[in-house]
Amino acid sequence: MRRSIPIVAAALGLGLALTACSGDTGSNTPTTTPAPQATTTEAPKLSGELSMWVDEERIKDLKGVAADFEAEYGVKVNLTQKAFGDIKTDFVAQGAQEGGPDVVVGANDWTGELVANGLVAPIQLGAAAAELSDGGKAAFSDDGALYGVPYAVENIALIRNNAIVKETPDTFEALLKQNDELKKEFPIVVQQDPKNGDSYHLYPLMTSFGISFFKQAADGTYVKEVGFGGEQGTKFAEWLAAQGKNGAGWLSGDITGDVATPAFRDGKTPYIITGPWNVVGDKGRFVESGMDVSVLPVPSAGGDVSRPFAGFQGFFVNATSKNALAANAFVSYLATSDVQTKLYKEGGRIPVNTVSAAVVDDPILKGFAAAGVNAVPQPGFKEMDAVWGQMGSTQIQIIDGKAKDPAKTWADMVDTISGLL
C-alpha cells in the first residue's frame, strides 16, 4: 500500500486552516450554510529520476530503501558514493551546477552554511514531522524553516571496561579518585589534538559547569549569543588547567585519538569518552574485539547536568533540483517509521523517528541513547568552523599549560567568539 507522504500536505493543511477559521460568529440566529461539495484532490504524479550523493557507509543502507521508493512511486533514485568528508565541500562547489545532486546526506551542523549560500530548499514534511524528535527537527532548522530530514543521531558517552572495574561513581571527581586503587596508567582518556584541542569530546564536561556554546530559545533552537562566559566559564577554565600538564596530568594534547583508543583497548585505563564509532559495528571496535564494556552517561565535573552534543545526520534537498517535487517526496519518505526502522536494522544507528527509536534493542545503542537523554544538538551556524577553532585552540593552550592566566585566556576567547557572530 502506498504510504501517505506530503505531496498533498499543502492542500490538506490549507483545508484544515480554513476549517479552523470558520468558528462561531456569536449570532443566536441559526444559519444554514450549504455544505461544500466534496472534492478529491489528486496528488501530483511523481516522475523522472533523482540523484543522491551518499557516503561509503550509508550507501549500503540506502540501496534497499531507494529500490522500495522506486517500486512504490515510480521514481528511480541513483546513488553516487562519495567520501563523507568530501560531500559538503563538493556540494558547495558543484551543487548548483549542471549534474548536481537532487539530494545529499549530511550532518546537521552543515545547515547554516548551506542555507546562507542558498544551496538547500526548505522541506515540507506534513504529518511525517510529528514522529521526528523535536531535537532532530531543531538541529536542521534555520530561522523557523526545516532544511533537512534527520534520520540518525549519535552522541559520545562514558565507556567502561568491565574487566577492570564494575562500578562507576556519580561524579567525575570520584571517578578520577577511583584510580588511586586501580593504579592504571590513566584514570580516563579523552582524546585531544596538540594544536586544535577537541572541544567536542570535552563538551559534556564543559556543560556540567552550567555553560554551553550558545544560548537556546524555548523551542531548542540556538540564538547567536555565547553561553560560556561569566563566573562558570572561569571555573571551567580553571578546572581544565588543574587537570592538564601542570596539574593532575591525565588530560593532555598528547592523548590523541590514536593514543586514547589503544590505551583503552590495552587496559591502560578503565574509561574512555567516545562515540559508537569506536565501540560497536565493525571489526576492530571494542565490542567486536571481544571487550566487555558498558555505555554510561558522562558524570558531572562541575555539579550541573552533563550534556554531550547530539550529532544528527539527515538528508538535504538541492535548492536547484529540477525534480524538486520528487526530491521532497523522497526525503519525506525517509522520515517515516517504516523506513527509519529499516535503516536502523541495516546500519545500526539510533533513529530520529520516535516510533523507530522505540524498537531499538541493541544494548550498546540503548546505552548511548540513555547517555544522550540530556544531549543538545550541534549548532549549525555558518560561523561554526571559526567557533570550533577558537574554542579548541584555547582549551588546549590551557590544558597544556601554555596559558599563564587561564581565566584571562578564557575571557579573551569569549570576546573573540562574540565578535564572530
Side-chain angles (χ1 to χ4, degrees):
M1 180 178 178
R2 178 168 294 189
R3 294 178 179 83
S4 174
I5 54 176
I7 48 181
V8 295
L12 292 174
L14 179 61
L16 291 171
L18 292 174
T19 300
C21 292
S22 60
D24 186 359
T25 63
S27 169
N28 293 324
T29 303
T31 58
T32 301
T33 303
Q37 294 295 314
T39 57
T40 300
T41 303
E42 286 292 336
K45 184 177 177 63
L46 302 178
S47 61
E49 296 185 1
L50 293 171
S51 61
M52 180 178 186
W53 286 357
V54 61
D55 64 284
E56 61 275 19
E57 290 194 19
R58 260 162 287 261
I59 193 167
K60 62 181 176 57
D61 307 338
L62 284 162
K63 283 181 178 176
V65 170
D68 291 345
F69 183 75
E70 180 181 2
E72 291 195 36
Y73 297 99
V75 176
K76 184 178 181 182
V77 181
N78 300 300
L79 304 177
T80 299
Q81 179 176 325
K82 284 180 169 285
F84 188 77
D86 294 337
I87 290 179
K88 187 180 78 168
T89 303
D90 290 353
F91 186 60
V92 170
Q94 306 167 23
Q97 298 178 9
E98 186 71 26
D102 299 289
V103 178
V104 294
V105 67
N108 70 280
D109 58 348
W110 301 1
T111 305
E113 181 179 353
L114 298 183
V115 171
N117 286 294
L119 292 168
V120 289
I123 294 168
Q124 302 298 322
L125 275 184
E131 290 186 347
L132 298 179
S133 73
D134 291 341
K137 287 179 286 190
F140 280 94
S141 294
D142 188 281
D143 198 22
L146 183 68
Y147 284 91
V149 172
Y151 93 97
V153 60
E154 60 188 13
N155 54 269
I156 57 176
L158 180 74
I159 313 302
R160 183 180 71 202
N161 184 341
N162 294 326
I164 297 176
V165 64
K166 301 289 188 185
E167 300 290 334
T168 298
D170 292 334
T171 69
F172 204 80
E173 181 181 6
L175 180 151
L176 294 174
K177 287 183 177 179
Q178 193 178 38
N179 202 46
D180 291 347
E181 295 183 4
L182 298 173
K183 299 189 183 308
K184 292 295 180 180
E185 184 173 347
F186 308 104
I188 182 173
V189 286
V190 183
Q191 74 173 62
Q192 292 293 294
D193 178 89
K195 294 183 179 178
N196 302 314
D198 191 328
S199 50
Y200 175 84
H201 282 86
L202 287 175
Y203 201 65
L205 299 172
M206 174 174 156
T207 53
S208 77
F209 282 80
I211 55 178
S212 59
F213 265 26
F214 302 105
K215 296 184 177 179
Q216 289 179 277
D219 63 357
T221 57
Y222 288 103
V223 294
K224 286 188 175 181
E225 183 178 351
V226 298
F228 47 85
E231 181 181 355
Q232 292 307 111
T234 300
K235 286 184 177 179
F236 176 63
E238 292 172 342
W239 182 84
L240 275 183
Q243 313 311 312
K245 284 189 174 180
N246 293 336
W250 64 268
L251 187 58
S252 166
D254 297 333
I255 309 295
T256 64
D258 290 338
V259 175
T261 304
F264 181 73
R265 185 181 288 110
D266 295 343
K268 295 179 180 179
T269 176
Y271 299 108
I272 184 173
I273 293 178
T274 192
W277 48 85
N278 278 324
V279 182
V280 64
D282 206 351
K283 183 178 179 181
R285 300 183 186 184
F286 301 149
V287 172
E288 280 68 25
S289 298
M291 297 184 71
D292 177 16
V293 300
S294 292
V295 180
L296 307 165
V298 177
S300 173
D304 211 324
V305 176
S306 171
R307 302 180 189 276
F309 274 128
F312 293 90
Q313 296 170 338
F315 308 98
F316 296 99
V317 172
N318 191 335
T320 60
S321 169
K322 294 180 179 177
N323 200 354
L325 184 65
N328 194 95
F330 179 55
V331 297
S332 300
Y333 177 81
L334 295 171
T336 61
S337 59
D338 286 353
V339 173
Q340 294 218 356
T341 299
K342 184 170 185 175
L343 289 172
Y344 154 65
K345 292 185 179 298
E346 292 286 343
R349 294 176 176 83
I350 300 171
V352 176
N353 184 294
T354 54
V355 175
S356 303
V359 305
V360 171
D361 53 3
D362 181 280
I364 296 296
L365 292 181
K366 289 176 71 174
F368 275 107
V373 164
N374 294 310
V376 292
Q378 284 182 238
F381 296 135
K382 59 183 174 59
E383 298 89 352
M384 284 311 299
D385 284 349
V387 172
W388 284 111
Q390 287 289 335
M391 180 70 75
S393 62
T394 298
Q395 289 179 348
I396 202 62
Q397 288 178 46
I398 294 172
I399 291 168
D400 284 348
K402 296 176 181 176
K404 294 181 179 178
D405 184 343
K408 183 178 185 306
T409 299
W410 189 267
D412 290 344
M413 178 192 67
V414 172
D415 291 341
T416 300
I417 292 179
S418 295
L420 294 172
L421 304 175

